[in-house]
Amino acid sequence: EDQVTQSPEALRLQEGESSSLNCSYTVSGLRGLFWYRQDPGKGPEFLFTLYSAGEEKEKERLKATLTKKESFLHITAPKPEDSATYLCAVRGSNYQLIWGAGTKLIIKP
Amino acid sequence: DVKVTQSSRYLVKRTGEKVFLECVQDMDHENMFWYRQDPGLGLRLIYFSYDVKMKEKGDIPEGYSVSREKKERFSLILESASTNQTSMYLCASSPPGATNEKLFFGSGTQLSVL
């Protein structure tokens, strides 16, 4: 069964304290792994797509990496405005998206 | 700026009522989707549409129907609302192609069924 698990459920960091969010997946025929950011009261906003193991994408303080079993979203020297829920989704061979439950990130000043 | 607009931010309905959730996109996208989001769960796909007049069931279509009479508008209908349909409903759109990578979401409708 295709599955996506995100950990931790919540993460509290001090401003400037770097860390990583994890997205573990099992899917037949990966057609892409996606990261989205969701602010309270808003819909998810697209961040990255990764297609193959070893691939990396960066945007400001965020870097996403991919292996055959998991993806990491690395956050370097985060700021309070990086506080949000980060969602991971994978697309398998049937082209439908399977979503994780998300990691709620809180950055304290 | 591209936009997906959901007609209501908050909605309170009674059990048994027929409920309409409206979604409009201004990006000329072929693909539109309805998801529900519940605490502790990933987004779950209710229905989607790849073209006008076309609709496909997602993972949890029971108790819902949809309408797509115009390309820019995709409506979700709860035929007889029940308390277990209390949830955040998210509409999304994307350009054509099954492998398109980027979904554009609306801000969501928080529906409470009493």
Side-chain angles (χ1 to χ4, degrees):
Chain A
E1 181 186 347
D2 297 343
Q3 197 170 353
V4 176
T5 303
Q6 291 189 246
S7 61
E9 289 185 17
L11 182 62
R12 287 173 172 78
L13 300 173
Q14 288 295 136
E15 184 173 0
E17 181 184 2
S18 302
S19 188
S20 298
L21 313 182
N22 178 263
C23 173
S24 297
Y25 64 91
T26 54
V27 66
S28 54
L30 181 69
R31 297 283 193 275
L33 184 141
F34 307 87
W35 283 99
Y36 283 77
R37 169 190 171 129
Q38 186 174 21
D39 293 301
K42 295 191 175 181
E45 182 179 345
F46 174 81
L47 290 173
F48 304 112
T49 307
L50 302 166
Y51 289 105
S52 56
E55 190 176 356
E56 299 183 352
K57 293 271 180 77
E58 283 189 71
K59 181 180 180 180
E60 296 181 357
R61 295 175 292 281
L62 300 176
K63 183 168 86 171
T65 62
L66 181 64
T67 73
K68 288 186 177 180
K69 293 183 178 180
E70 58 192 348
S71 176
F72 291 94
L73 185 65
H74 306 278
I75 302 173
T76 302
K79 298 181 177 181
E81 54 262 41
D82 294 320
S83 297
T85 296
Y86 291 86
L87 305 177
C88 171
V90 298
R91 191 189 304 279
S93 54
N94 65 359
Y95 294 98
Q96 293 303 324
L97 285 174
I98 304 156
W99 294 80
T103 293
K104 184 175 182 178
L105 178 65
I106 300 168
I107 309 298
K108 295 179 285 185
Chain B
D1 200 14
V2 296
K3 208 162 185 182
V4 177
T5 303
Q6 294 184 232
S7 55
S8 304
R9 183 68 186 91
Y10 298 97
L11 214 49
V12 179
K13 296 292 181 181
R14 297 279 181 196
T15 302
E17 278 192 77
K18 190 169 186 176
V19 181
F20 294 85
L21 302 183
E22 307 287 345
C23 175
V24 177
Q25 50 96 2
D26 65 0
M27 295 166 282
D28 202 33
H29 285 168
E30 273 74 10
N31 305 330
M32 296 190 75
F33 308 83
W34 275 107
Y35 286 92
R36 65 177 281 175
Q37 185 174 34
D38 298 290
L41 298 178
L43 272 65
R44 292 181 290 169
L45 182 63
I46 305 171
Y47 267 97
F48 61 100
S49 169
Y50 288 149
D51 202 352
V52 177
K53 304 281 187 180
M54 178 263 179
K55 59 186 178 184
E56 294 283 347
K57 292 180 180 179
D59 299 318
I60 52 165
E62 296 78 19
Y64 303 94
S65 63
V66 290
S67 172
R68 191 155 181 212
E69 297 295 320
K70 294 185 177 181
K71 188 177 183 180
E72 67 270 18
R73 186 179 297 269
F74 194 33
S75 303
L76 180 69
I77 304 156
L78 285 66
E79 297 291 343
S80 177
S82 63
T83 55
N84 63 12
Q85 291 178 311
T86 291
S87 186
M88 170 68 81
Y89 290 88
L90 291 165
C91 175
S93 72
S94 69
T99 58
N100 67 80
E101 59 179 51
K102 189 173 177 178
L103 294 177
F104 294 84
F105 283 88
S107 293
T109 295
Q110 180 63 53
L111 173 66
S112 296
V113 183
L114 307 177

